[in-house]
Amino acid sequence: MQPAARPLAPTYQERRWELPPDAVIHHGTVDDAARLLEGRTLTALTGAGISTDSGIPDYRSPDSPPRNPMTFQQFVGDDAFRRHYWARNHVGWQHVRRTHPNAGHRVLAELEERGIVRGVITQNVDLLHEDAGSRTVIDLHGRYDSVICLQCGRTISRAHLAERLDALNPGFVESVLDGGTTVADIEVAPDADAVIAKTSHFRPADCEFCGGVLKPEIVYFGENVPRARVDEAYALVESADALLVAGTSLTVMSGLRFVRRAAKAGQPVVIVNRGETRGDPLATVKVDAGVSETLVALGEML
């Protein structure tokens, strides 16, 4: 008898959480949040929702289309899937690198300059916090502009890889863009994965040093954030008086653990997000509103 086939990894929709029906959520306004945070130092925890006003879509807002983010197991275990991913990424990363920080990013940098924000822990890989001027940033899930070889461990810039992929696939980007359109017209995910269909003729690049598999230096589903990075983020949370969460549904434990750490330590937690988050029951104040405008208003009050 053949062994039973292993089930496929659950899709995002199958993994979707729901708040308990008896969850107590302390909804409030930006004024409530400002009164709570006044006179305190903050650590900021951000997600994809802070970058939507910069033109980078998120995964889980109420208006987002259904997405199934790539898993590490898919990437390393399937040559065809890896080729498909690199073809899409070769288009999508060009959109991400042309984006600019928005008012939400800038106000956090300004608050750091004023000594109110200790630093930012971001689940994003877009580097917009750094571009806005934030100095203490922990890129929890990595950076879109770096590529690592899974065999020899060497890293190269995404820009250098783009030159190699252009040489291997002359005219590919132009063919995808269909002449008159731009990268901005193609749906792009937060990890720079563009939604395109015809990729079977794309030629990915191997490591130029050892011939190994190249992977964006990004933590994918099924991977763990490096322990040293997690510890650094915990220390940043503990160095402040309160935690400000902005633009994340906290669906995965990667971000939720910092909310739990702050709440356990008795720190006030303010969550700014449009829609429910998994951390809402732990929030001292939950502001259900747009991220950029709320952070700007909050910054003016602190």
Side-chain angles (χ1 to χ4, degrees), residues 17 37 171 189 191 200 234 274 293:
W17 52 269
L37 297 176
D191 64 352
S200 59
Y234 276 139
R274 199 179 292 280
E293 58 265 36

Side-chain angles (χ1 to χ4, degrees), residues 18-288:
E18 291 183 359
L19 287 175
D22 58 346
V24 177
I25 302 173
H26 302 283
H27 289 287
T29 66
V30 66
D31 299 272
D32 297 324
R35 281 192 292 270
L36 177 68
L37 297 176
E38 186 176 8
R40 303 178 190 267
T41 58
L42 319 173
T43 293
L45 171 65
T46 68
I50 197 174
S51 294
T52 55
D53 286 344
S54 293
I56 301 175
D58 61 8
Y59 278 122
R60 302 182 179 92
S61 71
D63 298 326
S64 293
R67 301 180 191 273
N68 288 315
M70 184 187 69
T71 69
F72 179 73
Q73 291 76 16
Q74 287 173 315
F75 186 85
V76 300
D78 188 329
D79 290 344
F81 187 94
R82 193 160 54 247
R83 180 184 65 244
H84 184 60
Y85 172 79
W86 274 121
R88 292 160 60 116
N89 180 271
H90 190 46
V91 175
W93 93 284
Q94 300 186 48
H95 171 67
V96 174
R97 69 171 177 160
R98 293 188 180 104
T99 58
H100 300 285
N102 61 54
H105 298 105
R106 291 192 294 269
V107 73
L108 291 180
E110 292 165 5
L111 289 173
E112 182 183 11
E113 182 69 25
R114 291 165 52 192
I116 296 173
V117 167
R118 294 283 194 189
V120 176
I121 303 165
T122 185
Q123 299 169 95
N124 301 335
V125 300
D126 53 36
L127 305 183
L128 292 180
H129 285 295
E130 289 90 338
D131 291 347
S134 290
R135 296 184 301 277
T136 303
V137 181
I138 298 175
D139 296 300
L140 195 65
H141 295 158
R143 304 162 54 110
Y144 85 97
D145 67 340
S146 183
V147 178
I148 188 169
C149 174
L150 296 180
Q151 182 166 306
C152 71
R154 298 199 193 196
T155 59
I156 60 173
S157 72
R158 184 62 184 81
H160 175 63
L161 179 61
E163 295 176 356
R164 296 184 59 207
L165 292 175
D166 280 337
L168 288 169
N169 302 275
F172 176 78
V173 173
E174 292 75 12
S175 69
V176 170
L177 299 183
D178 194 23
T181 60
T182 66
V183 175
D185 295 319
I186 294 177
E187 186 183 332
V188 178
D191 64 352
D193 182 17
V195 178
I196 55 178
K198 298 179 180 179
T199 62
S200 59
H201 59 296
F202 188 83
R203 296 177 61 195
D206 294 327
C207 175
E208 58 197 303
F209 303 103
C210 73
V213 171
L214 295 177
K215 172 186 169 291
E217 201 166 11
I218 294 171
V219 177
Y220 288 123
F221 287 88
E223 282 188 285
N224 293 320
V225 178
R227 186 71 234 179
R229 197 179 301 167
V230 174
D231 290 341
E232 183 184 6
Y234 276 139
L236 187 57
V237 170
E238 293 165 358
S239 73
D241 302 321
L243 180 66
L244 173 62
V245 181
T248 171
S249 64
L250 299 169
T251 298
V252 295
M253 187 56 64
S254 180
L256 181 63
R257 58 184 152 192
F258 302 113
V259 177
R260 289 181 171 178
R261 176 64 66 95
K264 185 176 181 180
Q267 294 180 357
V269 175
V270 171
I271 296 179
V272 179
N273 191 68
R274 199 179 292 280
E276 291 181 346
T277 87
R278 197 176 173 189
D280 285 354
L282 298 173
T284 316
V285 173
K286 162 66 184 299
V287 182
D288 195 328

